[in-house]
Each structure stands twice: as structure tokens, then as C-alpha cells.
Amino acid sequence: MNFLDFVVLIGSLVAIAAYGAWHTRRHRNLDHYLRGDESVGWLTIGISVAATQASAITFISTPGQGYESGLDFVQNYFGMPLALILIAAVFLPIYRRLNVYTAYEYLGRRFGARTRLLGAALFLLQRGLAAGITIYAPAIILSTVLGWNLGLTIVLSGLLVIVYTVAGGSQAVNLTQKWQMAVIFGGMLAAFAILLIKTPANLSDDFAIAGTFKKLNAVSFSLDPDRRYTFWSGLLGGFFLSLSYFGCDQSQVQRYLSGSSLRESRLGLMFNAVLKIPMQFFILFLGVMLFVFYQFEQPPIFFNQAAWHEAVQNDPGQKLQSIEQQFDTASARTTHDIREWLAARHTGNRAAAAIARAKARADEDGVIAIRAQAEKVMQQNDPGVKSNDADYVFVTFILNHLPHGLIGLLIAAFFAAALQSKSAELNALGATTTVDFYRHLFEREASDAHYVAASRWFTFFWGLVAIAFALFANLVENLIQAINIVGSVFYGVFLALFLVAFFVRRVSGKAVFWAALVAQSFVFILYFSLNISYLWYNLIGCAACVLLSMVIQLFLRPNTQAPEAGP
Amino acid sequence: MNLPEENASPPPPADHRNELTGLPGLRSWKHVYLFVFACFVLWVLLLLALTVSYS
């Protein structure tokens, strides 16, 4: 990066943050601070919901996933449109009718105070733990590639987001997210255009190459449970995951409750229901095009070059250097065979094209095997080495092949993505702590100004927790997976509280509260005694809590609580 | 622990405009949801066509 890149990077990030803080610096009351003003339209809500979900990892790692595995990850989002329709039709009208600030207030109206506190505590625990990752994950990648100090990168980006989120509240989050998304998609589209220009083959050849190497297999109806992404797992798993995330997680609920009317909130959700699949397709397709590009351009054996050079220096048998030479030769051979195949394809010589195509596929299998061998040697030499090389593919392309200025814009886009999801998380953590704990338990009769000040302090507190957690994150091995496990262990019961509230009207607060505690204990026992994929705990926790609450209710008096809260 | 529920802020007045979508051709929310579902089916079919064409 040169001076121009730094001007673009720092200028765009600071300008957006300053704009958000300045425009929203005066808040008359808690309603304005937590839900924004009355004029938030559906497009702002739609962008804000999308921005909250799309973290920096979405834009850094997803192209790498497209490069490595093709388009099949897009199936993960197949359940989302259906979940958003259900939320818009059932969840949202109830939230708005009850005029709540947080989703957990609804649990209070429906089941009583204990269940409300349980739901809010589950959210704070899970989102509070995840908060550090939103800053840490992109910082570790960008500081590795750019040679920046990791701690300084975390602290500066963390402080920037704290300043405008604390100052401007929910409206600042909405406002800045709009401009941050503009920077992100401006950068991504520019990178895509340059990628197309720099790839020597025409678009028809690009598709043929990607198809030959199985990068365009977007939909699979396979019933094989070992296959990670299929139409069925995406539709069912994605539906429940989206339902809990968009329907019960305050970081999302707060976004669409800031709409000026039910209509604006609903249209904001429908905007996401229509556009999320094509958006993910575009990001994955960018990765597929990176794969095609690197069929004509010599790729590095390991995109995380800092880790590679360190591994080569610490390789006593000099095996890695020899493997790198084999890799370079195999890559050059693949490029040669692809060129031969395309030449035969253009002249209409089908037999020659088929032979060259088969050779290119065999060459690529060899390239993959050599890469795997290199990773194995690196792991043998240093078991702690990070092997998630796909995260570095897009960043490497940006730094090596984009013009200066645009490099700064793309790095700004990654930081903007980190800031936009971070700001929504902090905003939600501050709101839940203020409304569901502080106002509810400790200070019931204070003025609005007092609650706004409290909300600011709690947002600031959670921002510091996130920075501290991010700074010490590298002490925990495989942290992202650890956070996902924590999320999955709690998310099932979390979702069940809301599903029972919305759809099982005869169940009382007492029944669901004890069912939640027993179901959560059951999930803990299973987690420590079984060895199954952690994703299953979402379904197990949810099903156990719903069923148990109905069984417990059979032994209690009929529910006479909160008649206004049912759907 | 048996906490009383706090007094809620009064719910906003019913707004009949919320029943209107304001979208040309999609007058009711049912139509909007059907449109969104149709878009989802269309995306899946397009992705399926891409998969079949280049597999």
C-alpha cells in the first residue's frame, strides 16, 4: 500500500464515522436513541439488516471459499427467504404492536419477567462472546498480509466504531451502514471488473473452465449426510438458523424495529429475502473468477505468504522449497494444457479439446495434491500453524493486481464491513443491558435522559469488552469455531422460547422457563458426552425445549397470562 | 425470583396504512410474500440450470 491507498482508506472510514456521529449527536429521548427517528425508510432498513449480517469475514473469506469449493455454499442461504417471510408476517406485527425496544420485552409480556431475563441473558452471553471476533477475525488477516501491528489494528478500529455508535445510537448505525455498504460494493464491483479485464479468456471460456473444475456446482439434492452443503440442509438448517438470527437476535431485531412503520420494516426484510441469494452468489462467483484468473497467472503455493516464508525458514529438511518447485511446475503445466484446450475448443476440434481438457483436470488434481502435501509438512513442523489459506486468496489478489487507490478502497471496504456489523452488535448489547436489565431491575422511574446516558455507557462498556476480547483472542486455539460452538449450544433453546411464545399459546411462563433450563442442561450433557456436529445442538435444544414446555404445562394449571401477546 | 412486569409504553395507534403495501401490482402482503417466494424459486432454478449446464 502506498500513500494514496492510506488516504483513501483512512479518509473513507473516518469520514463515514464522523458523518454518522455528527448527524445523530442530539438525542432527545431513549426511543430516539434506541430506535432512531421516525423517518427511517425500507431501503435504509433493508441495507442495515444486510450490513449487520455481512461481516468482514463475508467479504474476505467468501471469495476464498468460491475459489476453493465453488458455488455450493450459496445453498446455505436457501432457508432465509422463507424465514424472513414468516418473521415479516408473524413476529414483526407483534413486536410493533407491543411497541417494544428489545425482542426480550416481548418474552416478558408473554411469559413474565424470569423468561425475559433468561432470553436477554442468553443473548448477552452469546453476542457478547462473539463481539470480539467481529473485530479480531479481519484484523488478524489484514495485519498478517499488510504487516501491521495486530493489537494497534484492533484498538484503532474498535475505538472508531465505539465513538460513533455511542454518540449516535441506532440512527448512527443505520446511517453509517448505508455508506459503508456503498464503499463495500463499490470496491467489490471494481475488483470484479478488473478481474474480468485481466483474465485473458473470454466470458464463455471462463464459464467453461470453472465448470470443468466443478466450481459451478451450485445446487445438489444429495441426501449424503457427510456432504456439508446441499439443497436440503440449506433449506431446513438455513430456515431455523435464519429464524433464530433474524427473529430473536436483538442485533437484527433492533435494525428492523427502527422503521417508521410496519410497512417500512416489512419491506426492509423482503428486500433482504429477495436479494440475499444473488448477493452471496456474486461474492462466491467473484471467488470462482479468481480461480479462473489463477489458471493463467502463477498462483503462490500458499496465499498467506507471511506464514509460508516463516514455515520455509523453520523447515529443517528443506522439504517445502522442493514442494514449491514441484507446485510451480505443475501449475505451469495446467496453464499450458488449459490454453491448448481452449485453442482446440475455438477451432472446433472436439477430440483434441476433450484430450486437453482431461489433461488439464488431471494436472489440477496434481496441483491440489501438492498443496495438501505442503500443508501437511507445515503442520508437522509447527502444529500451531494456521491452514485456512482460502481467507488470503482475495486479499492477495487485491494487493498484487489492483491499482493504487483501489487497493485502499478495498481494504477500507473490509474494515467498513467489520465496523458495520460491530456497530449493530454494540448497539444491541447496549440496548438490551439498559432496557432488559438496568431499567427493569435497578432504575425503573428515571428520566429519559438518564436512560440515554446509561445506554451510552453500556454501549461503551461492551465496546471495551469486545476490544479486550479481540486482543486476547489469539490465546484460544481455533477461536471462531469455539464461538460457533457456544452459539449453537445456546441458540436452540433461545429460538424455542420465541417459537413457544408465538405458536403454542397454552404454554405458560412457568412451564417454558423450567423447560428452557432442563433443555439447556440436556444440551450441555449431550455436548460433553457425544461427538456429533455442533450444528445439531440448534435443533436438539429447540425441539427439547418446545416439547418439554408442552409436557410440563400438562401438569400445571391452564395458562391465564398475557392475553394480548399471542399471535 | 418473581419480578413484576414493568409498565409498558403505550402501544402506537393502529395505522391502517400498514395494511397497504404501496407497491404497484402487489396490493396485499400476501401478494408480496408470494412474489418473494417466486423470486426464491426463480433463483434456485437459475442456479440449478447453471449447475446442470456446466457439470
Side-chain angles (χ1 to χ4, degrees), chain A residues 426-465:
Chain A
L426 292 186
N427 191 216
L429 287 165
T432 304
T433 314
T434 307
V435 174
D436 293 302
F437 286 94
Y438 182 69
R439 191 175 77 166
H440 183 61
L441 294 177
F442 303 108
E443 196 67 60
R444 282 171 167 261
E445 304 297 333
S447 67
D448 252 15
H450 177 86
Y451 290 130
V452 170
S455 197
R456 285 195 160 121
W457 278 111
F458 286 127
T459 305
F460 181 69
F461 164 77
W462 282 110
L464 291 186
V465 169

Side-chain angles (χ1 to χ4, degrees), chain A residues 261-281:
Chain A
S261 67
L262 176 62
R263 174 187 178 271
E264 305 302 318
S265 300
R266 270 183 170 159
L267 288 179
L269 286 178
M270 292 304 97
F271 172 83
N272 278 274
V274 171
L275 290 182
K276 184 66 185 179
I277 292 174
M279 181 185 125
Q280 286 301 131
F281 168 79

